[in-house]
Amino acid sequence: MAPIDEDNESLTGDAAATGTTRPERPTAPDAVAAVGRMPRWLPRAMVLALALIAAFQLGSWAFHQLTGLLINILIAFFLALAIEPAVSRMAARGMRRGLATFLVFLGLTIAVAGFVTLLGSMLAGQIIKMVEGFPDYLDSLINWINESFHTELRRVDVQEGLLHSDWLRKYAQNSAAGVLDVSAQVLGGLFQMLTVGLFSFCFAADGPRLRRALCSVLPPARQAEVLRAWEIAVDKTGGYLYSRGLMALISGIAHYILLQALGVPYAPVLGVWVGLVSQFIPTIGTYLAGALPMLIAFTVDPWYAVWVLAFVVVYQQFENYMLQPKLTARTVDIHPAVAFGSVIAGTALLGAVGALIAIPAVATLQAFLGAYVKRYAVTDDPRVHGHRSRGPGGAGVLARIRRPRAVQPEPEESS
């Protein structure tokens, strides 16, 4: 007998009783089509994902292209914060804010132009002096070589060898080819300076209008916080520049006294050079500042260069451990270790620009967050002052180890 499907019989009986037909099961191709059909939300999700990826790539490309402009705007903003106290003081006396900003920038431009002119004239004079004295230096060097190594060199032979050498010809060709690159870099630097000056002038002249525009999109509670942060940034940036300017003045005077005592020419200009470069060029400013006075002192007497090097090293230690912590604590109120770490972080992020603005930025952030951190009174515990606590027995571990053991009495013999 053929097997009987009980389910089919029951379904057939029920269908016959109710007078309805039993629904047919879907065939295999229809089931495969229903399972393999694409959901309706998948095309929209794919289009949205592609749009987000394209927007991210476009934003990343635009940010990479505008990085230079954003850095210039950041420099201009901190420069505007630095001159904000002077502009506000002049505007409070009745002067128009735009005119006050122009006068401040005019004073800065005259000071920088005068310093560059004096430095350029000094360098030109020293280069001319070194070129004129080059034959004498060469003769003394040739004589020392002949006496030390028993050779018979002549200056004419050395000059002809240098003039007909291949490396000099290649160097001249490379220098001629690099003139256009140097010109392009100079023009790019001038354009960057003009961009920074324009933005900083706008930020300083339209400071109140900029603050009103920023506060107009914020609720009143947030407006007070933004204005307070702005005021803190102005104070910290001005204090940082004040401390740097004061250290530059002290450094310039100290190096001027040394150079004047040694009889090195252009001592005032070199003192100004050492003061400004060592304080306002981060990381490598000290080495750049000391190299030029050493070079010029070497043209007078080689031992003078050694004296200048020793003084630069000693004064740098005095500045790092004595002068800078006290001035920084009074003006910027930031720990020297935090300042050093912020300079390293700023250099890693933005290079020399980040190192220059790292300290005022961190000082502003520290002062702003300090108002929202709840502080408590510190208990009068000896461990706060660095004293080690003793154990419950009153003696330390070493004292307990070193304490001789008490001699225990021998037990009495029982009779």
Side-chain angles (χ1 to χ4, degrees):
M1 292 179 60
I4 299 174
D5 190 354
E6 297 179 358
D7 295 337
N8 289 337
E9 288 180 359
S10 61
L11 291 174
T12 303
D14 295 338
T18 57
T20 59
T21 60
R22 174 188 166 189
E24 297 181 357
R25 294 182 179 179
T27 58
D30 295 336
V32 173
V35 173
R37 185 179 300 172
M38 181 182 297
R40 295 181 180 179
W41 56 268
L42 186 58
R44 297 180 181 178
M46 294 176 64
V47 171
L48 181 59
L50 293 176
L52 291 177
I53 294 174
F56 176 77
Q57 294 292 336
L58 181 61
S60 178
W61 173 80
F63 180 79
H64 180 73
Q65 296 295 324
L66 297 176
T67 301
L69 178 61
L70 296 177
I71 292 176
N72 292 335
I73 293 175
L74 185 62
I75 297 173
F77 179 72
F78 274 94
L79 181 59
L81 292 179
I83 65 174
E84 176 75 18
V87 174
S88 299
R89 190 175 297 109
M90 296 173 67
R93 296 181 179 180
M95 186 180 296
R96 295 179 56 185
R97 194 173 182 86
L99 179 60
T101 306
F102 173 76
L103 292 178
V104 173
F105 269 92
L106 181 62
L108 292 176
T109 304
I110 292 175
V112 172
F115 173 70
V116 171
T117 303
L118 291 176
L119 185 64
S121 63
M122 180 197 67
L123 290 177
Q126 289 302 121
I127 290 173
I128 294 173
K129 184 178 178 180
M130 292 177 65
V131 171
E132 292 177 351
F134 180 75
D136 297 333
Y137 289 120
L138 186 59
D139 288 337
S140 62
L141 179 61
I142 291 174
N143 293 331
W144 180 79
I145 293 176
N146 291 333
E147 293 177 359
S148 301
F149 301 99
H150 304 287
T151 58
E152 295 181 357
L153 294 177
R154 295 184 304 172
R155 189 178 70 182
V156 178
D157 298 336
V158 175
Q159 291 177 350
E160 289 181 356
L162 290 175
L163 292 176
H164 295 88
S165 60
D166 294 335
W167 70 268
L168 183 61
R169 178 175 54 83
K170 294 180 180 179
Y171 177 77
Q173 292 176 356
N174 294 331
S175 299
V179 170
L180 295 177
D181 296 336
V182 173
S183 302
Q185 292 179 0
V186 171
L187 292 177
L190 291 177
F191 180 75
Q192 186 176 4
M193 291 177 60
L194 291 176
T195 303
V196 171
L198 178 61
F199 276 105
S200 60
F201 182 87
C202 295
F203 288 152
D206 294 337
R209 186 183 305 175
L210 180 63
R211 287 190 286 269
R212 284 195 299 268
L214 183 61
C215 292
S216 63
V217 297
L218 298 173
R222 299 297 180 184
Q223 293 178 12
E225 295 179 359
V226 169
L227 294 177
R228 184 176 180 276
W230 193 293
E231 184 179 358
I232 291 175
V234 171
D235 294 338
K236 295 302 179 180
T237 306
Y240 172 72
L241 292 180
Y242 169 75
S243 62
R244 286 293 175 179
L246 186 57
M247 286 191 295
L249 179 62
I250 298 174
S251 176
I253 293 175
H255 288 83
Y256 163 74
I257 293 174
L258 173 69
L259 297 174
Q260 190 69 26
L262 294 176
V264 178
Y266 305 102
V269 182
L270 289 176
V272 175
W273 162 267
V274 172
L276 293 179
V277 174
S278 63
Q279 301 302 325
F280 291 99
I281 296 182
T283 308
I284 62 174
T286 303
Y287 308 102
L288 292 178
L292 184 59
M294 288 174 54
L295 179 62
I296 297 179
F298 183 82
T299 60
V300 179
D301 190 346
W303 284 105
Y304 288 175
V306 177
W307 282 105
V308 172
L309 176 61
F311 183 81
V312 168
V313 173
V314 172
Y315 181 82
Q316 188 65 30
Q317 302 305 316
F318 165 75
E319 182 182 285
N320 291 337
Y321 294 101
M322 298 292 294
L323 186 61
Q324 183 175 355
K326 294 183 179 180
L327 292 178
T328 304
R330 291 178 179 270
T331 57
V332 188
D333 193 15
I334 184 173
H335 195 273
V338 177
F340 182 72
S342 63
V343 170
I344 294 178
T347 305
L349 293 176
L350 298 177
V353 176
L356 188 62
I357 65 177
I359 293 180
V362 172
T364 301
L365 182 62
Q366 177 181 347
F368 183 72
L369 294 179
Y372 299 96
V373 177
K374 188 176 181 180
R375 298 181 181 274
Y376 300 92
V378 180
T379 59
D380 191 10
D381 195 307
R383 289 172 292 183
V384 176
H385 304 286
H387 300 295
R388 295 181 59 186
S389 62
R390 297 183 178 274
V397 178
L398 294 178
R400 291 197 301 267
I401 293 176
R402 294 174 181 176
R403 181 184 300 170
R405 294 183 179 180
V407 180
Q408 298 180 357
E410 297 181 358
E412 297 180 357
E413 297 181 358
S414 58
S415 58

